Amino acid sequence: MAKKKQNKRAPKLKFSNKWAYSAAPESTDHIELKEKYDLFINGKFVKPNSKKYFTTINPATEKKIASVAEANESDVDKAVKAARKAYDNTWSKMPGKERGKYLYRIARMIQERAREFSVIESMDGGKPIRESRDVDVPLAAAHFFYYAGWADKLNYAFPGVHPRSMGVAGQIIPWNFPLLMAAWKIAPALAAGNTVVLKPAETTPLTALKLAELIQEAELPDGIVNIITGAGRTGAAITAHPQLNKIAFTGSTDVGKIIQNALAGTDKKYTLELGGKAANIIFEDASIDMAVEGIINGIFFNQGHVCCAGSRLLVQESVAEEVIHKLKERMETLVVGDPLDKNTDVGAINSKEQLKKIKSLVKIGINEGGNCYQSSCSVPAKGFWFKPTIFTDVAQSSTIVQEEIFGPVLAIQTFRTVEEAIEKANNTPYGLSGGVWTDKGSKIFNVTGKLKAGVMWANTFNKFDPTSPFGGYKESGVGREGGLHGLSAYVHV
Ligand code: NAP
Ligand code: MG
């Protein structure tokens, strides 16, 4: 950033001492994990026809947690056939009121076992226990509760159009919110009377498999939910299966395009929830401290492994110096490390591959002339870590302004007028989410109405609720999840 007159509101750059917290690790004594997991097909755990297993590790320690079955085409076929049979014979015939009871039961059981789910989520994926405990698991239960309520009210949800279930849905989810994404997919599908075959991501299969155990305990009739594990090939076999009626995918834009190509010309319905490059816009009239906290939460929350992460900041020039100073100061107080420690703000990067991708994009950012600043924290020797990072002096055309990094990296630009902010915010291939920070309600309505993003927050960020639809424009995807929109993606009207 060019040297400018010191902003009077900006205090002198002096970082507060980091508070030293004592370690407060969450206990792992109460969790039950098997050494080896098979495929959950037709209500039972069965050995894969492929005879293959892969390893899932804890990205904070690089230690193996469990072996997990790798489903091949014939395993996928077996799961689809089980789901079809369950659809034809059981689920499509069951009254909505009865379907709803099962969903309520699953929701309550997730709540009962919340602690176990949270710990396993943090171990398998690297996210701080505070997030898995306070965000992922409660929201997963909330989605089951919410859609349970619709199961016997589909005619009220879609009045006058005789909503009908679609049949069998193939569902493929990413690693950033493993249990929550499974809930987003399974709950509306089941509420609307469909059966499912779900594949979690290769690096984070464990909470989906624990959910399979829970579903078994809930005595959901066999075959209604089938959970099969594997890598990209397993996902491709799901999308290619001719007997599926619907594909629901959440993941990267690149894979989303492959799936869209594979589905072209078939009669399968689909929804694609893809990448994002959200801009948070801070106007000079905003409450700066509140905005800074929101920006920090928006990008460093879950290590930036959030499709709707506020990975860009647009700040009005008059307050830019103050905001950037405060951001740096706050970054110094972030606790980076053990995901199971209750004080941890920023956990481990999900995988070695993701860490490599983040590092390479940051390198590109520096090579393209960006000014890179990283928190001075230390990180553990073992495991995959990336320090909270911000970039200033980036152009609209910079790679790190245009491309999703999916890591704790924030690109900061400045603007002078409302029009310039909107123009810059909209100028990426994505359109998933965005944030506006201002004291003026009229400005919120003006700006949010002109931003091409599916989800907008004002004076807050990354807030989710099962009643709100979620999804994007442009390369961020097709269709919506959550709320009635999410339910409508699973019915014919
Ligand atoms: P990804 O690489 O696209 O993988 C997503 C899922 O697709 C995984 O289960 C993956 O299996 C599977 N897959 C890979 N190749 C496939 C293929 N050819 N056909 C079918 N399935 C295939 O994405 P990710 O890295 O796991 O997740 C990060 C991305 O998800 C980011 O771009 C993020 O923005 C996006 N996301 C979007 C939303 C939203 O609601 N818009 C929410 C969360 C995340 P493997 O894991 O084994 O590769
Ligand atoms: Mg793992």
Side-chain angles (χ1 to χ4, degrees):
M1 212 195 206
K3 242 192 158 169
K4 278 192 222 91
K5 236 174 61 196
Q6 176 79 21
N7 182 333
K8 284 217 177 64
R9 286 171 74 185
K12 253 178 69 203
L13 197 72
K14 182 169 150 270
F15 296 126
S16 47
N17 289 333
K18 197 182 286 183
W19 294 0
Y21 294 107
S22 305
E26 173 66 57
S27 153
T28 55
D29 297 349
H30 56 96
I31 63 163
E32 277 176 33
L33 280 171
K34 293 189 251 181
E35 275 173 22
K36 194 167 166 185
Y37 282 91
D38 290 315
L39 305 170
F40 184 64
I41 298 177
N42 205 26
K44 284 157 209 75
F45 282 92
V46 296
K47 303 229 167 297
N49 291 340
S50 70
K51 299 196 168 58
K52 283 193 193 153
Y53 290 81
F54 61 92
T55 296
T56 186
I57 64 162
N58 179 338
T61 60
E62 296 177 53
K63 284 199 184 122
K64 174 177 174 174
I65 308 178
S67 296
V68 180
E70 184 181 329
N72 66 11
E73 283 80 358
S74 83
D75 294 306
V76 170
D77 185 56
K78 198 160 141 190
V80 173
K81 291 210 164 96
R84 172 64 55 194
K85 198 169 128 217
Y87 177 77
D88 291 340
N89 298 345
T90 318
W91 203 238
S92 66
K93 293 187 176 149
M94 194 182 284
K97 198 174 84 180
E98 298 304 313
R99 287 203 310 273
K101 283 184 195 167
Y102 283 106
L103 291 174
Y104 279 123
R105 189 183 292 171
I106 292 169
R108 282 195 305 271
M109 288 172 73
I110 293 175
Q111 285 184 321
E112 282 161 15
R113 290 168 56 177
R115 207 165 145 220
E116 186 180 10
F117 273 106
S118 311
V119 171
I120 296 173
E121 200 72 302
S122 286
M123 286 171 68
D124 202 17
K127 65 169 59 196
I129 185 74
R130 213 180 52 210
E131 277 161 23
S132 41
R133 183 195 62 198
D134 297 349
V135 180
D136 297 64
V137 178
L139 271 176
H143 270 82
F144 277 103
F145 275 120
Y146 172 72
Y147 283 111
W150 279 122
D152 61 346
K153 303 176 195 71
L154 295 180
N155 287 323
Y156 298 94
F158 311 104
V161 290
H162 306 296
R164 286 169 296 119
S165 54
M166 289 180 165
V168 184
Q171 307 180 317
I172 301 166
I173 57 172
W175 43 258
N176 59 341
F177 289 90
L179 180 70
L180 181 58
M181 290 297 116
W184 276 28
K185 297 272 182 284
I186 296 173
L190 263 50
N194 306 279
T195 59
V196 308
V197 175
L198 174 118
K199 184 193 100 63
E202 189 184 359
T203 56
T204 54
L206 294 179
T207 45
L209 291 163
K210 291 302 283 185
L211 182 65
E213 290 178 356
L214 183 152
I215 282 170
Q216 230 177 8
E217 280 173 45
E219 295 176 6
L220 183 75
D222 294 347
I224 292 165
V225 172
N226 303 276
I227 295 180
I228 57 172
T229 42
R233 230 184 93 196
T234 309
I238 292 177
T239 46
H241 200 288
Q243 281 156 33
L244 289 170
N245 304 98
K246 148 106 190 178
I247 298 293
F249 171 78
T250 298
S252 61
T253 297
D254 287 347
V255 175
K257 286 178 181 171
I258 295 173
I259 291 179
Q260 201 170 26
N261 280 334
L263 296 179
T266 72
D267 61 358
K268 286 178 200 151
K269 302 269 181 258
Y270 60 87
T271 42
L272 305 172
E273 299 289 350
L274 311 177
K277 194 71 194 179
N280 251 314
I281 306 175
I282 304 186
F283 288 98
E284 61 189 359
D285 56 22
S287 161
I288 299 296
D289 288 341
M290 187 170 88
V292 165
E293 200 52 34
I295 306 307
I296 291 279
N297 170 51
I299 184 62
F300 300 131
F301 168 71
N302 197 15
Q303 301 72 253
H305 294 341
V306 185
C307 50
C308 51
S311 54
R312 290 184 295 149
L313 168 61
L314 295 168
V315 54
Q316 200 152 14
E317 213 172 79
S318 48
V319 290
E321 203 171 323
E322 177 186 1
V323 166
I324 292 165
H325 171 82
K326 287 189 167 171
L327 275 174
K328 288 180 177 173
E329 199 171 47
R330 181 68 178 93
M331 282 163 71
E332 289 299 317
T333 65
L334 290 173
V335 180
V336 182
D338 181 8
L340 286 180
D341 193 309
K342 294 174 204 102
N343 295 321
T344 295
D345 297 304
V346 183
I349 299 301
N350 183 266
S351 66
K352 200 177 190 168
E353 292 66 39
Q354 186 59 26
L355 180 59
K356 207 170 130 197
K357 184 184 158 197
I358 297 169
K359 283 182 174 168
S360 99
L361 278 160
V362 165
K363 203 165 158 198
I364 292 173
I366 294 168
N367 290 343
E368 288 181 359
N371 189 350
C372 179
Y373 174 88
Q374 286 192 313
S375 146
S376 64
C377 63
S378 58
V379 295
K382 267 270 181 209
F384 314 128
W385 309 94
F386 201 80
K387 295 179 184 181
T389 301
I390 58 176
F391 271 94
T392 50
D393 294 334
V394 288
Q396 189 67 37
S397 57
S398 302
T399 307
I400 57 163
V401 170
Q402 293 292 323
E403 278 187 27
E404 185 183 49
I405 300 173
F406 224 57
V409 183
L410 176 69
I412 305 177
Q413 296 171 275
T414 59
F415 68 88
R416 289 185 183 170
T417 64
V418 172
E419 291 68 35
E420 189 187 349
I422 293 167
E423 160 82 36
K424 284 182 166 167
N426 283 336
N427 188 353
T428 76
Y430 298 103
L432 187 57
S433 61
V436 182
W437 300 83
T438 167
D439 195 30
K440 305 274 182 298
S442 55
K443 211 181 268 176
I444 291 174
F445 285 115
N446 178 28
V447 174
T448 53
K450 290 174 182 157
L451 289 179
K452 289 196 191 72
V455 187
M456 287 299 314
W457 288 286
N459 294 328
T460 186
F461 205 79
N462 271 344
K463 292 280 179 285
F464 305 95
D465 187 281
T467 63
S468 306
F470 185 96
Y473 287 93
K474 302 194 276 186
E475 295 205 1
S476 290
V478 181
R480 296 287 179 268
E481 291 191 315
L484 269 182
H485 293 70
L487 192 62
S488 72
Y490 285 97
V491 292
H492 288 300
V493 290

